[in-house]
Amino acid sequence: MNYFVGAIRWVLDPAHYPGPNGIPVRMAEQLWYTALTLVIACAIAIPIGYAIGHTGRGRAVAVSVTGGVRALPTLGVLTLVALWTGIGLQAPIVSFVVLAIPSILAGAYAGFEAVDRNVVDAARAVGMTGWQVLARVEVPLGLPLLIGGIRAAALQVVATATLAAYVGSGGLGGYLFAGLQTRDYEQMLAGALLVVVLALVLEGLFALVQRLVVPRGVVAQRGNVRTRPSRSRPVMGDPIEEGK
Amino acid sequence: MSWVSSNLGVIAASALAHAALSAPTVVLSFVLSVPIGWLAHRYRLTRGTLLAVAGVLYAIPSIPLFVILPIVIGTSARSPLNVVIALTLYGIALMVRSSADAFDAVERDVVDSATAVGFAGMQRFFRVELPLAGPVLLAGLRVVSVSTVSLVTVSGVLGIPSLGLLFTDGFQRGITEEILAGIVATVVLALLFDVLLVLAGRVLMPWARATARRAPRARTREARA
């Protein structure tokens, strides 16, 4: 337990605040890596996930690909890209994006699939086009699960961003690796605790956002998993003209 | 391929060490999560608490955990035990939720019928609830297994023997092939674990393939209840 007291003292020590190796800068770097990764991963994963969820096609491929990507060890991707690109931001960001994509992709298409079939059919029936169904029905109703996916990705990335320091970038991992080399366990523990605190704060924030984005009127409407593609046969008879 | 062909022994030894760290972690996560998940399923009071604790556990990043654990439980900083314990905690965090969901998915009527024909307590749990929860439990366990095999590599930065050492060593000495070999070996090992789990599922639950297609219905039912 002495180490914990030491670590907390280390965190509170004013000497560890100013300068490029200070706690505020390191923490900001960790958050910056996380934010940048999430933006890039969302830009890649959300359109693909929405396309899968809306058309109901390619789901099997997506599931197996994301399963395979999940098995990719981040440390391996990180060191591999770092050998190719050298020291800099590319290697950490590339490997973290790879880490973040499966969760966000799954959140995006699962969100669409969780939309009740009858709601989609009703939207069609009142004359919405495919794009309107997408933008006004599926996107808002799928938002809670999408945010859930982004939340899982954010947690993984903010934790794993610690590894950026291993290939010479910044972030809170610097304290861990510096402490490991000099056997300064208090510094290591301090770095670890800072990462945990950051992760818990992010988790809390996302939990809040997730609660806020549930459209009013559909709170507590979970389940009803849609297993058929949205463009398969209608429930009864053929529509006179299917909105395209 | 020259590095790979002249270092097959190193790769094999690392893969074995990796498997030796992953297998007990996956088994422990499963064995410990099932009763916790059942408690969360059975009693409404414990459900919120247990799932919240699991959520917080999941939020604790693995690398700091590798660092904190030896200090808390007094093992040496490079002991493989740290990895097993840290990743088991992580596995439990993932698995408790899926085992609670798995027990939720067992139809209430079936459990009631089992009670009616005289099953009680442990017997009902082992012979009715556990087998019927099996398919969802297996799905959860497969996620735990893949993430465990992948996360074990992180312990390489602390110098604990596993395929992760191929990454750190390859990076420090600038050998691309070594890192590639490590990535391929990790993915193959994860696949191997997955195949073993699926096979175990087929042997233990021969009925599961037919039921798996009806799973969505069970979930709808649960949402309505």
Side-chain angles (χ1 to χ4, degrees):
Chain A
M1 275 308 168
N2 286 334
Y3 284 116
F4 274 98
V5 177
I8 290 166
R9 204 173 288 147
W10 195 95
V11 171
L12 296 177
D13 187 347
H16 296 132
Y17 279 80
N21 195 31
I23 294 173
V25 173
R26 291 294 184 213
M27 215 162 208
E29 281 171 343
Q30 189 99 351
L31 280 175
W32 163 237
Y33 299 158
T34 309
L36 187 61
T37 302
L38 287 179
V39 168
I40 297 174
C42 280
I44 298 171
I46 294 180
I48 301 177
Y50 276 180
I52 294 168
H54 183 68
T55 60
R57 297 202 188 99
R59 189 175 188 277
V61 179
V63 169
S64 49
V65 168
T66 51
V69 172
R70 268 186 222 267
L72 275 182
T74 307
L75 183 63
V77 180
L78 176 71
T79 48
L80 186 67
V81 181
L83 274 192
W84 289 335
T85 63
I87 286 173
L89 217 61
Q90 294 102 321
I93 296 298
V94 167
S95 56
F96 301 157
V97 166
V98 170
L99 177 75
I101 281 179
S103 304
I104 300 179
L105 186 68
Y109 69 66
F112 273 25
E113 281 168 0
V115 177
D116 192 336
R117 271 299 289 149
N118 294 331
V119 173
V120 177
D121 288 342
R124 287 254 159 71
V126 298
M128 285 194 183
T129 63
W131 285 107
Q132 281 173 327
V133 171
L134 182 88
R136 297 198 192 161
V137 179
E138 289 177 316
V139 168
L141 289 179
L143 218 46
L145 278 180
L146 174 67
I147 302 288
I150 298 176
R151 171 185 176 179
L155 267 189
Q156 282 176 301
V157 172
V158 80
T160 315
T162 316
L163 287 179
Y166 188 75
V167 293
S169 299
L172 291 169
Y175 300 137
L176 282 182
F177 295 118
L180 189 67
Q181 269 158 13
T182 56
R183 294 185 173 272
D184 178 357
Y185 291 120
E186 283 171 5
Q187 187 183 353
M188 261 174 107
L189 194 56
L193 290 177
L194 287 172
V195 178
V196 172
V197 168
L198 210 55
L200 290 177
V201 168
L202 266 186
E203 166 81 352
L205 274 180
F206 268 100
L208 204 68
V209 172
Q210 206 170 2
R211 205 159 278 189
L212 288 178
V213 297
V214 183
R216 262 177 302 167
V218 286
V219 183
Q221 256 255 342
R222 287 187 299 140
N224 287 332
V225 174
R226 182 173 76 193
T227 46
R228 282 187 298 131
S230 67
R231 285 206 176 275
S232 72
R233 283 169 292 118
V235 179
M236 232 191 270
D238 283 315
I240 298 161
E241 191 184 5
E242 197 187 358
K244 284 249 164 161
Chain B
M1 295 309 276
S2 57
W3 186 90
V4 174
S5 51
S6 51
N7 287 281
L8 280 176
V10 177
I11 299 175
S14 307
L16 263 183
H18 200 103
L21 286 175
S22 315
T25 306
V26 175
V27 172
L28 274 176
S29 312
F30 180 73
V31 171
L32 294 175
S33 307
V34 167
I36 303 176
W38 186 82
L39 278 179
H41 148 79
R42 183 67 184 77
Y43 302 103
R44 192 173 295 173
L45 254 182
T46 52
R47 185 185 185 91
T49 324
L50 286 174
L51 292 186
V53 171
V56 171
L57 258 185
Y58 184 73
I60 296 178
S62 57
I63 309 157
L65 211 53
F66 291 153
V67 177
I68 296 171
L69 263 179
I71 297 168
V72 176
I73 58 175
T75 44
S76 86
R78 297 202 166 154
S79 159
L81 204 62
N82 303 330
V83 181
V84 174
I85 296 174
L87 291 182
T88 300
L89 285 177
Y90 214 60
I92 291 176
L94 281 170
M95 192 66 203
V96 162
R97 183 168 284 276
S98 25
S99 47
D101 287 346
F103 288 114
D104 288 345
V106 177
E107 293 198 35
R108 198 64 226 147
D109 298 349
V110 177
V111 181
D112 289 345
S113 318
T115 315
V117 297
F119 282 101
M122 288 310 240
Q123 207 185 7
R124 187 179 58 202
F125 174 77
F126 280 109
R127 298 179 68 176
V128 180
E129 289 181 90
L130 189 61
L132 287 178
V136 184
L137 284 176
L138 178 65
L141 193 60
R142 287 174 68 187
V143 174
V144 171
S145 139
V146 169
S147 84
T148 300
V149 171
S150 171
L151 275 176
V152 165
T153 59
V154 173
S155 66
V157 296
L158 301 180
I160 296 165
S162 78
L163 287 168
L165 281 188
L166 298 184
F167 305 147
T168 52
D169 185 64
F171 177 65
Q172 275 152 15
R173 292 162 57 196
I175 310 173
T176 312
E177 276 175 43
E178 185 172 2
I179 300 179
L180 273 175
I183 295 180
V184 171
T186 310
V187 173
V188 168
L189 199 64
L191 275 178
L192 193 73
F193 269 56
D194 199 49
V195 168
L196 282 179
L197 284 178
V198 171
L199 283 181
R202 292 243 170 109
V203 172
L204 293 172
M205 304 176 288
W207 69 89
R209 271 197 279 177
T211 346
R213 287 185 202 128
R214 296 210 315 260
R217 231 176 68 199
R219 274 170 75 185
T220 323
R221 207 162 235 260
E222 170 215 335
R224 247 186 271 134

